[in-house]
Amino acid sequence: MIDSSTLRQAVRDYSSSRLFKKNLAVTLLLVTLPLCIICVVIYKTSSNIIEKSIQDLNQESIYRMKDVIDTIVSESKLLAASFSLKDETKTYMQSGIHENTASRIPYELADEIKTYAGIHRYIHSVYLYSENQNYIVSNIYNGMLENAPDKNWLSRYGTLDTDNVSIYIRKNDSGYPYFITIVKPVYFFNQDKLGAVVVNIDIETLGKLFQKTGNIQPQNSYLVDNASDSVVVYNRSLPAMWTQGDDLAQLGPFIREEGRISVTDEFGGEKYILSAVPSTSGPWTYVGAYPLSYYDEKLNIAKHILVYFIAGVTLIGIGISFILSVRSFQPVKNIVSVLKDPSKLQPQAEPDRQLSKSRNELDYIQAAIWQSVQSHKEMEDALKQRLELLKHAQAAALQSQINPHFLGNTLDSIKWEAMELTGGKNPVSSMVTKLAHLFHLGLNMKERLVPISTEMDHAKLYVEIMKYRYNDLFEVEWMIEPALYNHKIVKLSFQPLIENAIQHGLKPKKKDGRLLIQGETVKDQIHIRFIDNGVGMAASLADELNGRMNGETAEVGEHIGIQNVNQRIKLIFGSPYGVTIADSSDAGTTIVVRIPL
């Protein structure tokens, strides 16, 4: 019975205030908390969707910028290549200064360059430089190199020793404007370098051209020189500029980290969505920066709505908890009073029917308490009976240990007497030695599971004794994979199956008996087969034994050893494993032992 002080404490614990607290906790846990989590998930998901949309727009704008500028650079490369292949260009670069002064070729080339630059306004200038004359022909200046207003491209030209094009970002000698410069060396029959064609693309003009392509507002566009970490900036409100300031220095690590196309990061003291795309035409990267502050206001409105919603749900949960507490306290008090003395409950003749038909919750619980008390009493009685059986089993087990030890010691004494009588080893002493070893090995295997190698050693001793007895009537061949030796098997599994094969198969055959013991892995199991060439087993008997071994029938009749091994394997490893008679015919019998791998 339940202690009365414990019950009084339980009644105090189940006061209305405590019940209210519990109901409130349950309501908050099962209703309010999931709703709050859902609200947070919705907010986070919405924020991520908006951010992803802006990232996509930002990337799309940068890709448009890349397509426009890379296309212009590719066309400018073709322009440089076209001028380098003109016969007039090579004639001008090979001629002396005096010859060019008298010739119309330089003027014609200059006019052609002006025409092209007038059509393509992003082309700031094209220089045709003759190394032989140290002379430049262009759309903005014709004359000696030393007097040219822009010549810092010459250092890049000096590093070129092939006809490959060099493309890079640079400043004009005067500091403005800023160029994407294409330097194309000109060679005479691929041998002597005659000079170069230099095409300068005005980055500010490119920026204005990009503005017309419809990049999203308010986006800042950056053209980053990968070689020097210099940043050329262009957006709608600022002119083109060259900077290496602290704010823009954060772009370097982002651009150099491979595999990052878009990321949200703090940039210039403000959070931006940054998108970067490397150019396919030159050593620079296109970067777009979109400030997140432009959509934070909308997200804040959504956040306030969710907060008000969560607060309302919490208040509703408190109200529901109060109502549930008031309605639930009285039935709980009645139930606790019933627990004081369950013996006062009237026995239920048919408790199951009582439970199924009752419409009153209190009657239902009282009937359940009666059932619980009765079940508890029955379990106590069953436990007492099992404890008694366990005591008897322990006594029998202790008794069974005495006889084998006595028999083993007696066999040792017989062995020494036989050797003393004959003056040395003899067949009798050898057979007794193996029998004593067999007994001692069986006694020393205290565990229920032993390695397959240990079980093989035990079985081999038994086979040797049987060969003495039957005068080599049969042979046993072992073909178990060495990899399986350390896997565990139920103790004393092999000996009963070998005995069964000898007694019921090989002994009646009378000669040329053979037993093959194979072991291999099959999927996630180990299969050990005992294959004899004896007289076989009737198919009806094999089916009957398999039926017994698949059920829970105790061992009866013949072949008790097979059934015993099967039951022990199933008890330890489970019903999917055990012993099966796989084949039985006049040519012999095959028995398969299945254990887990």
Side-chain angles (χ1 to χ4, degrees):
M1 298 300 175
I2 301 175
D3 184 68
S4 60
S5 61
T6 304
L7 287 172
R8 284 193 297 271
Q9 183 64 38
V11 173
R12 286 195 296 270
D13 288 343
Y14 276 94
S15 63
S16 59
S17 61
R18 182 173 180 82
L19 192 59
F20 169 73
K21 293 176 183 177
K22 287 190 174 184
N23 285 336
L24 177 61
V26 171
T27 303
L28 292 177
L29 182 64
L30 298 181
V31 179
T32 308
L33 182 60
L35 285 175
C36 293
I37 293 174
I38 291 172
C39 291
V40 172
V41 170
I42 291 173
Y43 174 76
K44 290 290 185 183
T45 303
S46 301
S47 178
N48 291 336
I49 290 173
I50 294 173
E51 186 173 327
K52 182 64 169 58
S53 299
I54 295 177
Q55 281 184 356
D56 292 341
L57 289 173
N58 203 28
Q59 288 181 31
E60 182 182 350
S61 177
I62 291 302
Y63 273 108
R64 286 201 304 268
M65 179 180 180
K66 172 185 176 297
D67 292 341
V68 171
I69 296 179
D70 282 1
T71 300
I72 289 173
V73 172
S74 298
E75 291 176 354
S76 300
K77 285 171 60 178
L78 291 176
L79 174 64
S82 174
F83 270 103
S84 69
L85 296 175
K86 284 180 175 291
D87 293 336
E88 293 86 347
T89 302
K90 294 183 179 180
T91 301
Y92 148 69
M93 291 183 179
Q94 288 175 328
S95 301
I97 183 63
H98 299 293
E99 297 175 15
N100 274 329
T101 303
S103 173
R104 291 291 303 168
I105 292 178
Y107 301 102
E108 293 172 356
L109 291 172
D111 290 340
E112 187 175 351
I113 292 172
K114 289 177 182 178
T115 301
Y116 195 89
I119 297 173
H120 303 281
R121 295 190 177 276
Y122 52 82
I123 299 293
H124 175 273
S125 54
V126 178
Y127 305 153
L128 301 182
Y129 167 62
S130 172
E131 185 174 336
N132 182 36
Q133 308 167 44
N134 206 29
Y135 191 86
I136 292 178
V137 171
S138 74
N139 57 319
I140 60 173
Y141 171 78
N142 294 326
M144 302 303 293
L145 176 65
E146 59 266 19
N147 298 323
D150 174 34
K151 50 181 179 290
N152 64 26
W153 51 268
L154 194 61
S155 59
R156 178 60 65 97
Y157 166 75
T159 63
L160 301 177
D161 54 4
T162 66
D163 62 350
N164 290 333
V165 176
S166 175
I167 304 175
Y168 68 109
I169 297 175
R170 71 182 182 92
K171 294 181 182 180
N172 187 289
D173 279 7
S174 62
Y176 182 84
Y178 318 115
F179 296 145
I180 295 175
T181 296
I182 301 168
V183 182
K184 172 68 169 121
V186 180
Y187 282 81
F188 180 71
F189 293 111
N190 296 328
Q191 294 180 357
D192 299 326
K193 188 159 66 171
L194 302 178
V197 179
V198 181
V199 180
N200 297 309
I201 302 173
D202 189 335
I203 293 178
E204 182 178 4
T205 305
L206 279 182
K208 293 177 180 178
L209 180 64
F210 174 60
Q211 179 179 344
K212 295 178 182 179
T213 63
N215 61 317
I216 61 174
Q217 281 279 26
Q219 183 196 57
N220 296 323
S221 305
Y222 302 92
L223 188 68
V224 182
D225 184 1
N226 299 340
S228 61
D229 281 342
S230 298
V231 183
V232 178
V233 183
Y234 181 81
N235 61 30
R236 294 176 188 267
S237 59
L238 296 175
M241 55 184 292
W242 189 286
T243 179
Q244 288 178 303
D246 293 337
D247 291 344
L248 300 179
Q250 299 179 49
L251 286 174
F254 166 63
I255 293 168
R256 284 191 292 272
E257 186 172 344
E258 295 183 2
R260 298 181 73 182
I261 297 177
S262 288
V263 71
T264 301
D265 203 351
E266 188 170 327
F267 170 57
E270 186 177 359
K271 276 195 173 182
Y272 281 82
I273 293 178
L274 300 177
S275 298
V277 179
S279 172
T280 55
S281 296
W284 57 80
T285 301
Y286 304 101
V287 179
Y290 191 96
L292 293 178
S293 58
Y294 283 89
Y295 81 99
D296 281 345
E297 184 177 350
K298 296 179 180 179
L299 286 179
N300 286 333
I301 294 173
K303 187 189 300 183
H304 291 153
I305 293 174
L306 291 176
V307 170
Y308 294 146
F309 177 76
I310 291 171
V313 170
T314 303
L315 292 175
I316 293 173
I318 294 173
I320 293 174
S321 301
F322 178 77
I323 295 172
L324 289 176
S325 301
V326 172
R327 293 177 61 87
S328 302
F329 176 67
Q330 188 60 40
V332 170
K333 184 178 180 180
N334 294 336
I335 291 171
V336 173
S337 65
V338 168
L339 291 173
K340 290 181 180 180
D341 190 2
S343 62
K344 294 181 180 179
L345 292 171
Q346 293 298 322
Q348 306 295 330
E350 296 182 10
D352 291 337
R353 178 182 295 181
Q354 170 85 19
L355 291 177
S356 62
K357 289 187 175 182
S358 176
R359 295 182 179 179
N360 186 292
E361 292 83 356
L362 186 59
D363 292 341
Y364 181 92
I365 295 174
Q366 288 176 346
I369 292 173
W370 172 257
Q371 281 187 314
S372 177
V373 170
Q374 292 298 108
S375 298
H376 182 70
K377 184 177 179 180
E378 292 174 0
M379 289 175 62
E380 285 183 346
D381 293 340
L383 181 61
K384 289 179 182 179
Q385 292 178 0
R386 291 179 182 236
L387 287 175
E388 288 297 322
L389 291 174
L390 179 60
K391 289 179 182 179
H392 288 299
Q394 289 176 338
L398 291 173
Q399 181 65 35
S400 67
Q401 291 178 359
I402 297 174
N403 294 334
H405 279 291
F406 172 75
L407 183 58
N409 293 333
T410 303
L411 289 173
D412 282 337
S413 300
I414 293 173
K415 176 190 72 175
W416 292 111
E417 285 292 333
M419 292 177 63
E420 189 173 331
L421 290 172
T422 59
K425 291 184 178 181
N426 55 74
V428 174
S429 67
S430 297
M431 186 172 179
V432 172
T433 298
K434 286 182 172 58
L435 184 58
H437 191 188
L438 182 68
F439 269 99
H440 285 302
L441 189 60
L443 289 172
N444 290 334
M445 292 192 297
K446 298 179 181 180
E447 300 295 331
R448 293 182 180 179
L449 298 176
V450 296
I452 289 178
S453 58
T454 302
E455 185 66 13
M456 290 171 61
D457 293 340
H458 183 269
K460 287 177 180 179
L461 286 173
Y462 175 77
V463 168
E464 291 298 322
I465 293 172
M466 290 296 101
K467 290 176 108 178
Y468 273 118
R469 178 179 177 184
Y470 292 111
N471 195 23
D472 293 330
L473 182 68
F474 59 89
E475 292 292 333
V476 176
E477 183 179 356
W478 296 85
M479 294 182 64
I480 296 179
E481 297 175 0
L484 304 179
Y485 284 178
N486 291 328
H487 288 270
K488 296 296 183 72
I489 192 170
V490 176
K491 172 184 172 182
L492 296 178
S493 297
F494 287 3
Q495 185 264 328
L497 300 179
I498 294 173
E499 180 181 2
N500 181 82
I502 295 173
Q503 294 296 328
H504 300 285
L506 302 179
K507 179 181 175 183
K509 184 180 175 67
K510 296 183 179 179
K511 64 177 180 177
D512 298 330
R514 182 174 178 272
L515 174 61
L516 174 62
I517 303 174
Q518 293 179 331
E520 61 182 358
T521 58
V522 179
K523 295 183 178 179
D524 58 346
Q525 296 184 358
I526 297 175
H527 286 193
I528 300 175
R529 294 180 175 84
F530 295 79
I531 307 169
D532 67 67
N533 64 344
V535 297
M537 179 186 301
S540 58
L541 178 59
D543 292 340
E544 180 184 351
L545 287 174
N546 281 331
R548 289 181 189 171
M549 291 188 291
N550 286 332
E552 297 182 355
T553 309
E555 302 94 346
V556 294
E558 295 184 343
H559 307 285
I560 293 178
I562 299 177
Q563 300 176 67
N564 178 274
V565 173
N566 174 70
Q567 282 195 347
R568 286 190 290 130
I569 290 176
K570 286 184 179 295
L571 285 172
I572 293 176
F573 293 127
S575 57
Y577 308 100
V579 179
T580 303
I581 302 174
D583 181 51
S584 178
S585 61
D586 294 339
T589 303
T590 298
I591 295 176
V592 180
V593 176
R594 292 171 283 107
I595 59 173
L597 183 60

